[in-house]
Amino acid sequence: MPTPLSAPAPPGVRHPALRELSYWLHLWRRTWRGTVVISVANPLLFLTGIGVGLGQLVGDRADPALHGGSYLAFLTPGLLAAASMQNAFVDAAGPVHDSARPGGHYRAAAATPLRPADILHGHLLYILVRLVVSAFLFTAVATAFGAVAPARAPLVVPAAVLAGFAFAAPLAAWSVTLDRQAGLEALFRFVVMPLYMFSGAFFPLSQLPDAVEPLAYLSPLWHGVELCRSLALGTATAGGTTLHTGVLAALTVAGVLLARRRYERRLHT
């Protein structure tokens, strides 16, 4: 069946990567309502069940281990960063793997004037759009719960997007090389889920055993959690913000550069 890439460029679409973006947005038109509902329902359920429910057991008093705030205020930005990582995995793992296989979308796009770099950049732009929408909706729900101050919410959204995008680009670079989907399942089970649980999103890393705690600080997600949390709680410092932003930005740039090379090798015709 013909794809949007085989048709003339839509009015106003000039850059080749935007044509690839238009393809993914065309597909998203069928499912965007469901993804928006999920983006609202998931934080609503988590904040109600864990933040409010478990938070009552932890207590509402200010605790130094919780950055001086309640458990709900401590949990929310960490959960936002972890959700961005999961969203990046959903959009950059399976779809890239399926598209790069024989008969996949990437193969059809590579037969057009689009270069492999255009295909990559267009797909990453789509993932960026998805991350922005999800982070915005999550933060809006958190603000309605009183877990994030309205004045700080505009700072938290781009931090969460950066945290997710720092995973999206390296994931795309890796997924495009896979021949079997088993690798994606192993990655989610043995990498994504441990990062989700042991990067400071749900509890302070100081609660971990002494032998494990230093390893947790090496996690890219920890940098995302700390960046979102410090901005949400108003405890951000210039040094800490620069460090966390720099690590996440470096991972993003390295992921894009590596992905460009691997897309070129896999899709070059």
Side-chain angles (χ1 to χ4, degrees):
M1 295 179 64
T3 68
L5 292 174
S6 62
V13 176
R14 295 292 182 266
H15 195 282
L18 297 182
R19 298 196 64 185
E20 176 69 13
L21 170 63
S22 69
Y23 167 81
W24 290 103
L25 292 177
H26 176 78
L27 294 183
W28 195 31
R29 288 173 56 189
R30 307 175 185 175
T31 60
W32 72 269
R33 293 178 179 84
T35 58
V36 167
V37 171
I38 292 174
S39 296
V40 173
N42 279 351
L44 187 63
L45 293 173
F46 267 102
L47 293 177
T48 302
I50 299 180
V52 179
L54 183 60
Q56 294 299 319
L57 300 178
V58 175
D60 292 331
R61 66 186 185 281
D63 192 324
L66 302 180
H67 290 227
S70 66
Y71 182 67
L72 178 62
F74 173 86
L75 170 72
T76 300
L79 194 59
L80 172 59
S84 290
M85 177 192 69
Q86 282 197 306
N87 289 335
F89 178 85
V90 169
D91 288 321
V96 170
H97 166 70
D98 293 339
S99 296
R101 297 180 63 186
H105 159 68
Y106 282 176
R107 301 294 182 175
T112 72
L114 292 183
R115 301 169 301 170
D118 299 327
I119 297 172
L120 167 66
H121 295 160
H123 198 167
L124 288 179
L125 283 173
Y126 167 73
I127 295 174
L128 181 62
V129 170
R130 296 269 285 123
L131 289 174
V132 169
V133 172
S134 297
F136 174 81
L137 293 175
F138 193 116
T139 306
V141 173
T143 303
F145 264 75
V148 177
R152 296 172 184 155
L155 300 176
V156 177
V157 172
V161 172
L162 177 60
F165 209 62
F167 284 91
L171 276 169
W174 183 70
S175 300
V176 76
T177 65
L178 293 181
D179 294 322
R180 301 180 60 184
Q181 195 167 2
L184 299 179
E185 298 171 359
L187 179 69
F188 184 79
R189 183 174 302 175
F190 299 113
V191 177
V192 174
M193 289 309 299
L195 286 178
Y196 191 88
M197 296 302 301
F198 300 106
S199 293
F202 295 94
F203 55 86
L205 293 186
S206 58
Q207 304 299 314
L208 291 173
D210 293 339
V212 179
E213 182 180 348
L215 298 177
Y217 291 115
L218 300 177
S219 163
L221 181 58
W222 175 76
H223 289 280
V225 169
E226 285 299 303
L227 180 61
C228 291
R229 182 171 289 146
S230 61
L231 292 173
L233 298 179
T235 59
T237 62
T241 301
T242 301
L243 171 64
H244 301 314
T245 302
V247 170
L248 296 174
L251 285 172
T252 299
V253 173
V256 171
L257 294 177
L258 180 61
R260 290 187 61 167
R261 293 181 58 187
R262 292 188 169 181
Y263 270 61
E264 185 71 29
R265 293 176 181 175
R266 187 71 185 264
L267 303 178
H268 182 72
T269 55

Coordinates of all heavy atoms in Angstrom, one line a residue, residues 178-256:
L178 N 18.9 -4.7 15.6 CA 18.4 -6.0 16.0 C 17.7 -6.7 14.9 O 17.0 -6.1 14.1 CB 17.5 -5.8 17.2 CG 18.1 -5.2 18.5 CD1 17.0 -5.1 19.6 CD2 19.2 -6.1 19.0
D179 N 18.0 -8.0 14.9 CA 17.2 -8.9 14.0 C 16.1 -9.6 14.7 O 15.2 -10.1 14.0 CB 18.2 -9.9 13.4 CG 19.3 -9.3 12.5 OD1 18.9 -8.3 11.8 OD2 20.4 -9.7 12.6
R180 N 16.2 -9.7 16.0 CA 15.1 -10.5 16.7 C 14.6 -9.6 17.9 O 15.3 -8.8 18.5 CB 15.7 -11.8 17.3 CG 16.3 -12.7 16.3 CD 16.8 -14.0 17.0 NE 15.8 -14.7 17.7 CZ 16.0 -15.8 18.4 NH1 17.3 -16.3 18.5 NH2 15.0 -16.4 19.0
Q181 N 13.3 -9.7 18.1 CA 12.6 -8.9 19.1 C 13.0 -9.4 20.5 O 12.7 -8.6 21.5 CB 11.1 -9.0 18.9 CG 10.3 -7.9 19.7 CD 8.9 -7.8 19.2 OE1 8.5 -8.5 18.4 NE2 8.2 -6.8 19.8
A182 N 13.5 -10.5 20.7 CA 13.9 -11.0 22.0 C 14.8 -10.1 22.7 O 14.8 -9.9 24.0 CB 14.5 -12.4 21.9
G183 N 15.7 -9.4 22.0 CA 16.6 -8.4 22.6 C 15.9 -7.3 23.2 O 16.3 -6.8 24.3
L184 N 14.7 -6.8 22.7 CA 14.0 -5.8 23.3 C 13.3 -6.2 24.6 O 13.3 -5.5 25.5 CB 12.9 -5.3 22.3 CG 13.3 -4.8 20.9 CD1 12.1 -4.4 20.1 CD2 14.2 -3.6 21.1
E185 N 12.8 -7.4 24.6 CA 12.2 -7.9 25.8 C 13.2 -8.1 26.9 O 13.0 -7.7 28.1 CB 11.6 -9.3 25.5 CG 10.4 -9.2 24.5 CD 10.0 -10.6 24.0 OE1 10.5 -11.6 24.5 OE2 9.0 -10.7 23.2
A186 N 14.4 -8.5 26.6 CA 15.5 -8.7 27.6 C 15.9 -7.3 28.1 O 16.2 -7.1 29.3 CB 16.7 -9.4 27.0
L187 N 16.0 -6.3 27.2 CA 16.4 -4.9 27.6 C 15.4 -4.4 28.6 O 15.7 -3.8 29.6 CB 16.5 -4.0 26.4 CG 16.8 -2.6 26.7 CD1 18.3 -2.5 27.1 CD2 16.6 -1.7 25.4
F188 N 14.1 -4.6 28.3 CA 13.1 -4.0 29.2 C 13.1 -4.7 30.5 O 13.0 -4.0 31.6 CB 11.7 -4.2 28.5 CG 10.6 -3.6 29.3 CD1 10.3 -2.2 29.3 CD2 9.8 -4.4 30.2 CE1 9.3 -1.6 30.0 CE2 8.8 -3.8 30.9 CZ 8.5 -2.4 30.9
R189 N 13.3 -6.0 30.5 CA 13.2 -6.8 31.8 C 14.5 -6.6 32.6 O 14.3 -6.4 33.9 CB 13.1 -8.3 31.4 CG 13.0 -9.2 32.7 CD 12.7 -10.6 32.2 NE 11.5 -10.7 31.4 CZ 11.1 -11.8 30.8 NH1 11.8 -12.9 30.9 NH2 10.0 -11.8 30.1
F190 N 15.6 -6.5 32.0 CA 16.9 -6.5 32.8 C 17.6 -5.1 32.9 O 18.5 -5.0 33.6 CB 17.9 -7.5 32.2 CG 17.4 -8.9 32.3 CD1 17.1 -9.6 31.1 CD2 17.1 -9.6 33.5 CE1 16.6 -10.9 31.1 CE2 16.7 -10.9 33.5 CZ 16.4 -11.5 32.4
V191 N 17.1 -4.1 32.1 CA 17.7 -2.8 32.2 C 16.6 -1.7 32.5 O 16.8 -1.0 33.5 CB 18.3 -2.4 30.8 CG1 18.9 -1.0 30.9 CG2 19.4 -3.5 30.5
V192 N 15.6 -1.7 31.8 CA 14.6 -0.6 32.0 C 13.9 -0.7 33.3 O 13.9 0.3 34.1 CB 13.6 -0.6 30.8 CG1 12.5 0.4 31.2 CG2 14.2 -0.2 29.5
M193 N 13.4 -1.9 33.7 CA 12.7 -2.1 35.0 C 13.7 -1.9 36.2 O 13.3 -1.2 37.1 CB 12.0 -3.4 35.0 CG 10.8 -3.5 34.1 SD 9.7 -2.1 34.3 CE 9.2 -2.4 36.0
P194 N 14.9 -2.4 36.2 CA 15.8 -2.1 37.3 C 16.1 -0.6 37.4 O 16.1 -0.1 38.5 CB 17.0 -2.9 37.0 CG 16.6 -4.1 36.2 CD 15.4 -3.5 35.3
L195 N 16.3 0.1 36.3 CA 16.5 1.5 36.3 C 15.3 2.2 36.9 O 15.4 3.2 37.7 CB 16.8 2.1 34.9 CG 18.1 1.8 34.3 CD1 18.2 2.3 32.9 CD2 19.3 2.3 35.2
Y196 N 14.1 1.7 36.5 CA 12.8 2.3 37.0 C 12.7 2.2 38.5 O 12.3 3.2 39.2 CB 11.7 1.6 36.4 CG 10.3 2.2 36.5 CD1 9.9 3.2 35.6 CD2 9.5 1.9 37.6 CE1 8.6 3.8 35.8 CE2 8.2 2.4 37.8 CZ 7.8 3.4 36.9 OH 6.6 3.9 37.0
M197 N 13.2 1.1 39.1 CA 13.0 0.9 40.5 C 14.2 1.4 41.3 O 14.0 1.8 42.5 CB 12.9 -0.6 40.8 CG 11.6 -1.2 40.1 SD 10.1 -0.5 40.7 CE 10.2 -0.8 42.5
F198 N 15.4 1.5 40.8 CA 16.5 1.8 41.6 C 17.3 3.0 41.1 O 18.5 3.0 41.0 CB 17.5 0.6 41.6 CG 16.9 -0.6 42.2 CD1 16.5 -1.7 41.4 CD2 16.6 -0.7 43.6 CE1 15.9 -2.8 41.9 CE2 16.0 -1.9 44.1 CZ 15.7 -2.9 43.3
S199 N 16.6 4.1 40.7 CA 17.2 5.3 40.3 C 16.7 6.5 41.2 O 16.8 7.7 40.7 CB 16.9 5.6 38.8 OG 17.6 4.6 38.0
G200 N 16.1 6.2 42.3 CA 15.7 7.3 43.2 C 14.3 7.8 42.9 O 13.9 8.8 43.5
A201 N 13.5 7.2 42.1 CA 12.2 7.7 41.8 C 11.2 7.5 42.9 O 10.4 8.3 43.2 CB 11.7 7.0 40.5
F202 N 11.3 6.3 43.6 CA 10.3 5.9 44.6 C 10.9 6.1 46.0 O 10.1 6.2 47.0 CB 9.9 4.5 44.4 CG 9.1 4.3 43.1 CD1 9.8 3.8 42.0 CD2 7.8 4.5 43.1 CE1 9.1 3.6 40.8 CE2 7.1 4.3 41.9 CZ 7.7 3.8 40.7
F203 N 12.2 6.1 46.2 CA 12.8 6.2 47.5 C 14.2 6.8 47.4 O 14.8 6.6 46.3 CB 12.8 4.9 48.3 CG 13.5 3.8 47.5 CD1 14.9 3.6 47.6 CD2 12.8 2.9 46.7 CE1 15.5 2.6 46.9 CE2 13.5 1.9 46.0 CZ 14.8 1.8 46.1
P204 N 14.7 7.4 48.4 CA 16.0 8.0 48.4 C 17.1 6.9 48.2 O 17.0 5.8 48.7 CB 16.2 8.7 49.7 CG 14.8 8.9 50.2 CD 14.0 7.8 49.7
L205 N 18.1 7.2 47.4 CA 19.1 6.2 47.1 C 19.9 5.9 48.4 O 20.6 4.8 48.5 CB 20.1 6.7 46.1 CG 19.5 6.8 44.6 CD1 20.6 7.1 43.7 CD2 18.8 5.5 44.2
S206 N 19.8 6.7 49.4 CA 20.5 6.5 50.7 C 20.0 5.3 51.4 O 20.6 4.7 52.3 CB 20.4 7.7 51.6 OG 19.1 8.0 51.8
Q207 N 18.8 4.8 51.0 CA 18.2 3.6 51.6 C 18.7 2.3 51.0 O 18.5 1.3 51.5 CB 16.6 3.7 51.4 CG 16.0 4.9 51.9 CD 16.1 5.1 53.4 OE1 15.9 4.1 54.1 NE2 16.4 6.3 53.8
L208 N 19.5 2.4 49.9 CA 20.1 1.2 49.3 C 21.3 0.8 50.1 O 21.9 1.5 50.9 CB 20.5 1.5 47.9 CG 19.4 1.8 46.9 CD1 20.0 2.2 45.5 CD2 18.6 0.5 46.7
P209 N 21.7 -0.5 50.0 CA 22.9 -1.0 50.7 C 24.1 -0.2 50.2 O 24.1 0.3 49.1 CB 23.0 -2.5 50.2 CG 21.6 -2.8 49.9 CD 20.9 -1.6 49.3
D210 N 25.1 -0.1 51.1 CA 26.3 0.7 50.8 C 27.0 0.3 49.5 O 27.6 1.1 48.8 CB 27.2 0.7 51.9 CG 26.6 1.4 53.2 OD1 25.7 2.2 53.0 OD2 27.1 1.1 54.3
A211 N 27.0 -1.0 49.2 CA 27.7 -1.6 48.1 C 26.9 -1.2 46.8 O 27.5 -1.2 45.7 CB 27.8 -3.1 48.2
V212 N 25.6 -1.0 46.8 CA 24.8 -0.8 45.6 C 24.6 0.7 45.4 O 24.5 1.1 44.2 CB 23.4 -1.5 45.8 CG1 22.6 -1.3 44.6 CG2 23.7 -3.0 46.0
E213 N 24.6 1.5 46.4 CA 24.3 2.9 46.3 C 25.2 3.6 45.3 O 24.6 4.4 44.4 CB 24.3 3.6 47.6 CG 24.0 5.1 47.6 CD 24.0 5.7 49.0 OE1 24.2 5.0 50.0 OE2 24.0 7.0 49.0
P214 N 26.5 3.5 45.3 CA 27.3 4.2 44.3 C 27.0 3.8 42.9 O 27.1 4.7 42.0 CB 28.7 3.8 44.6 CG 28.7 3.3 46.1 CD 27.3 2.7 46.2
L215 N 26.6 2.6 42.6 CA 26.2 2.2 41.3 C 25.0 2.9 40.8 O 24.8 3.2 39.6 CB 26.0 0.6 41.2 CG 27.2 -0.2 41.6 CD1 26.9 -1.7 41.5 CD2 28.4 0.1 40.6
A216 N 24.0 3.1 41.7 CA 22.8 3.8 41.3 C 23.0 5.2 40.8 O 22.3 5.7 39.9 CB 21.8 3.8 42.5
Y217 N 24.1 5.8 41.3 CA 24.4 7.2 40.9 C 24.9 7.3 39.5 O 24.9 8.3 38.9 CB 25.4 7.9 41.8 CG 24.8 8.1 43.2 CD1 25.3 7.5 44.3 CD2 23.7 9.0 43.4 CE1 24.8 7.7 45.6 CE2 23.2 9.3 44.7 CZ 23.8 8.6 45.8 OH 23.2 8.8 47.0
L218 N 25.3 6.1 38.9 CA 25.7 6.1 37.5 C 24.6 6.0 36.5 O 24.8 6.1 35.3 CB 26.7 4.9 37.3 CG 27.9 4.9 38.2 CD1 28.7 3.6 37.9 CD2 28.8 6.1 37.9
S219 N 23.4 5.8 37.0 CA 22.2 5.6 36.2 C 21.8 6.9 35.5 O 21.7 8.0 36.2 CB 21.0 5.1 37.0 OG 19.8 5.3 36.3
P220 N 21.6 6.9 34.2 CA 21.2 8.1 33.5 C 19.8 8.6 34.1 O 19.5 9.8 34.1 CB 21.1 7.7 32.0 CG 21.9 6.5 31.9 CD 21.9 5.8 33.2
L221 N 19.0 7.6 34.4 CA 17.7 8.0 35.0 C 17.8 8.8 36.3 O 17.0 9.7 36.6 CB 16.8 6.8 35.2 CG 15.4 7.0 35.7 CD1 14.6 8.0 34.8 CD2 14.6 5.7 35.8
W222 N 18.8 8.4 37.1 CA 19.0 9.2 38.3 C 19.2 10.7 38.0 O 18.7 11.5 38.7 CB 20.2 8.6 39.1 CG 20.5 9.4 40.3 CD1 19.8 9.4 41.5 CD2 21.5 10.4 40.5 NE1 20.4 10.3 42.4 CE2 21.4 10.9 41.8 CE3 22.6 10.9 39.7 CZ2 22.3 11.9 42.3 CZ3 23.4 11.8 40.1 CH2 23.3 12.3 41.4
H223 N 20.0 11.0 37.0 CA 20.2 12.4 36.6 C 18.9 13.0 36.2 O 18.6 14.2 36.6 CB 21.2 12.5 35.5 CG 22.6 12.1 35.9 ND1 23.4 13.0 36.6 CD2 23.3 11.0 35.8 CE1 24.6 12.5 36.8 NE2 24.6 11.3 36.3
G224 N 18.0 12.3 35.5 CA 16.7 12.8 35.1 C 15.8 13.0 36.3 O 15.1 14.0 36.4
V225 N 15.8 12.1 37.2 CA 15.0 12.2 38.4 C 15.5 13.4 39.3 O 14.6 14.2 39.7 CB 15.1 10.9 39.3 CG1 14.5 11.1 40.6 CG2 14.4 9.7 38.5
E226 N 16.8 13.5 39.5 CA 17.3 14.6 40.3 C 17.0 16.0 39.7 O 16.7 16.9 40.3 CB 18.8 14.4 40.6 CG 19.1 13.3 41.6 CD 18.5 13.6 42.9 OE1 18.8 14.7 43.5 OE2 17.7 12.8 43.4
L227 N 17.1 16.0 38.3 CA 16.9 17.3 37.6 C 15.4 17.7 37.8 O 15.1 18.8 38.2 CB 17.2 17.2 36.2 CG 17.0 18.4 35.3 CD1 17.9 19.6 35.8 CD2 17.3 18.1 33.8
C228 N 14.5 16.8 37.5 CA 13.1 17.1 37.7 C 12.7 17.4 39.1 O 12.0 18.3 39.4 CB 12.2 15.9 37.2 SG 12.3 15.6 35.4
R229 N 13.2 16.6 40.1 CA 12.9 16.8 41.5 C 13.4 18.1 42.0 O 12.7 18.8 42.7 CB 13.4 15.6 42.3 CG 13.1 15.7 43.8 CD 13.5 14.4 44.4 NE 12.6 13.3 44.0 CZ 12.9 12.0 43.9 NH1 14.2 11.7 44.1 NH2 12.0 11.1 43.5
S230 N 14.6 18.5 41.7 CA 15.2 19.7 42.2 C 14.4 20.9 41.6 O 14.2 21.9 42.4 CB 16.7 19.8 41.9 OG 16.9 19.8 40.5
L231 N 14.0 20.9 40.4 CA 13.3 22.0 39.8 C 11.8 22.0 40.4 O 11.3 23.1 40.6 CB 13.2 21.8 38.3 CG 14.5 22.0 37.5 CD1 14.4 21.6 36.1 CD2 15.1 23.4 37.7
A232 N 11.3 20.9 40.6 CA 9.9 20.8 41.1 C 9.8 21.3 42.6 O 8.9 21.9 43.0 CB 9.3 19.4 41.0
L233 N 10.9 21.0 43.4 CA 10.8 21.3 44.8 C 11.5 22.7 45.1 O 11.5 23.1 46.2 CB 11.6 20.2 45.6 CG 10.9 18.8 45.6 CD1 11.7 17.8 46.4 CD2 9.5 18.9 46.0
G234 N 12.1 23.3 44.0 CA 12.8 24.5 44.2 C 14.1 24.4 45.0 O 14.6 25.4 45.6
T235 N 14.7 23.2 44.9 CA 16.0 23.0 45.6 C 17.2 23.0 44.6 O 18.3 22.6 44.9 CB 16.0 21.7 46.4 OG1 15.7 20.6 45.5 CG2 14.9 21.8 47.4
A236 N 16.9 23.3 43.3 CA 17.9 23.3 42.3 C 19.1 24.2 42.5 O 18.9 25.4 43.0 CB 17.3 23.5 40.9
T237 N 20.3 23.8 42.2 CA 21.5 24.6 42.3 C 22.1 24.7 40.9 O 21.8 23.9 40.1 CB 22.5 24.1 43.3 OG1 23.0 22.8 42.8 CG2 21.9 23.9 44.7
A238 N 22.9 25.7 40.7 CA 23.5 25.9 39.4 C 24.4 24.8 39.1 O 24.4 24.3 37.9 CB 24.3 27.2 39.4
G239 N 25.2 24.3 40.0 CA 26.1 23.2 39.8 C 25.4 21.9 39.5 O 25.7 21.2 38.5
G240 N 24.4 21.6 40.3 CA 23.6 20.4 40.1 C 22.8 20.4 38.8 O 22.8 19.3 38.1
T241 N 22.2 21.5 38.5 CA 21.4 21.5 37.3 C 22.3 21.4 36.1 O 22.0 20.7 35.1 CB 20.7 22.9 37.2 OG1 19.8 23.0 38.3 CG2 19.8 23.0 35.9
T242 N 23.5 22.1 36.1 CA 24.4 22.0 35.0 C 24.9 20.5 34.8 O 25.0 20.0 33.7 CB 25.6 22.9 35.2 OG1 25.2 24.2 35.4 CG2 26.6 22.8 34.1
L243 N 25.2 19.9 35.9 CA 25.7 18.5 35.9 C 24.7 17.5 35.3 O 24.9 16.8 34.3 CB 26.1 18.0 37.3 CG 26.4 16.5 37.4 CD1 27.6 16.1 36.6 CD2 26.6 16.1 38.8
H244 N 23.4 17.6 35.8 CA 22.4 16.7 35.3 C 22.0 17.0 33.9 O 21.9 16.1 33.0 CB 21.2 16.8 36.2 CG 21.4 16.5 37.6 ND1 22.2 15.4 38.0 CD2 21.0 17.1 38.8 CE1 22.2 15.3 39.4 NE2 21.6 16.4 39.8
T245 N 21.9 18.2 33.5 CA 21.6 18.6 32.2 C 22.7 18.2 31.2 O 22.4 17.7 30.1 CB 21.3 20.1 32.1 OG1 20.2 20.5 33.0 CG2 20.9 20.5 30.7
G246 N 23.9 18.4 31.6 CA 25.0 18.1 30.8 C 25.1 16.6 30.5 O 25.4 16.2 29.3
V247 N 24.9 15.8 31.5 CA 25.0 14.3 31.3 C 23.9 13.9 30.4 O 24.1 13.1 29.4 CB 24.8 13.6 32.7 CG1 24.6 12.1 32.5 CG2 26.1 13.8 33.5
L248 N 22.6 14.3 30.6 CA 21.5 14.0 29.7 C 21.7 14.5 28.3 O 21.4 13.7 27.3 CB 20.2 14.5 30.3 CG 19.8 13.9 31.7 CD1 18.6 14.6 32.2 CD2 19.6 12.4 31.6
A249 N 22.2 15.7 28.1 CA 22.5 16.2 26.8 C 23.6 15.5 26.1 O 23.5 15.2 24.9 CB 22.8 17.7 26.9
A250 N 24.6 15.1 26.8 CA 25.7 14.3 26.2 C 25.2 13.0 25.8 O 25.6 12.5 24.7 CB 26.8 14.2 27.2
L251 N 24.4 12.3 26.5 CA 23.8 11.0 26.1 C 22.9 11.2 24.9 O 23.0 10.3 24.0 CB 22.9 10.4 27.2 CG 23.7 9.8 28.4 CD1 22.8 9.5 29.5 CD2 24.5 8.6 28.0
T252 N 22.2 12.3 24.8 CA 21.4 12.5 23.6 C 22.2 12.7 22.4 O 22.0 12.1 21.3 CB 20.5 13.8 23.9 OG1 19.7 13.6 25.0 CG2 19.6 14.1 22.6
V253 N 23.2 13.6 22.5 CA 24.1 13.8 21.3 C 24.8 12.6 20.9 O 24.9 12.2 19.7 CB 25.1 14.9 21.6 CG1 26.1 15.1 20.5 CG2 24.4 16.3 21.9
A254 N 25.4 11.8 21.9 CA 26.1 10.6 21.5 C 25.1 9.6 20.9 O 25.5 8.9 19.9 CB 26.7 10.0 22.8
G255 N 23.9 9.5 21.4 CA 22.9 8.6 20.8 C 22.6 8.9 19.4 O 22.4 8.1 18.5
V256 N 22.4 10.2 19.1 CA 22.0 10.7 17.8 C 23.2 10.4 16.8 O 23.0 9.9 15.7 CB 21.7 12.2 17.7 CG1 21.5 12.7 16.3 CG2 20.4 12.4 18.5

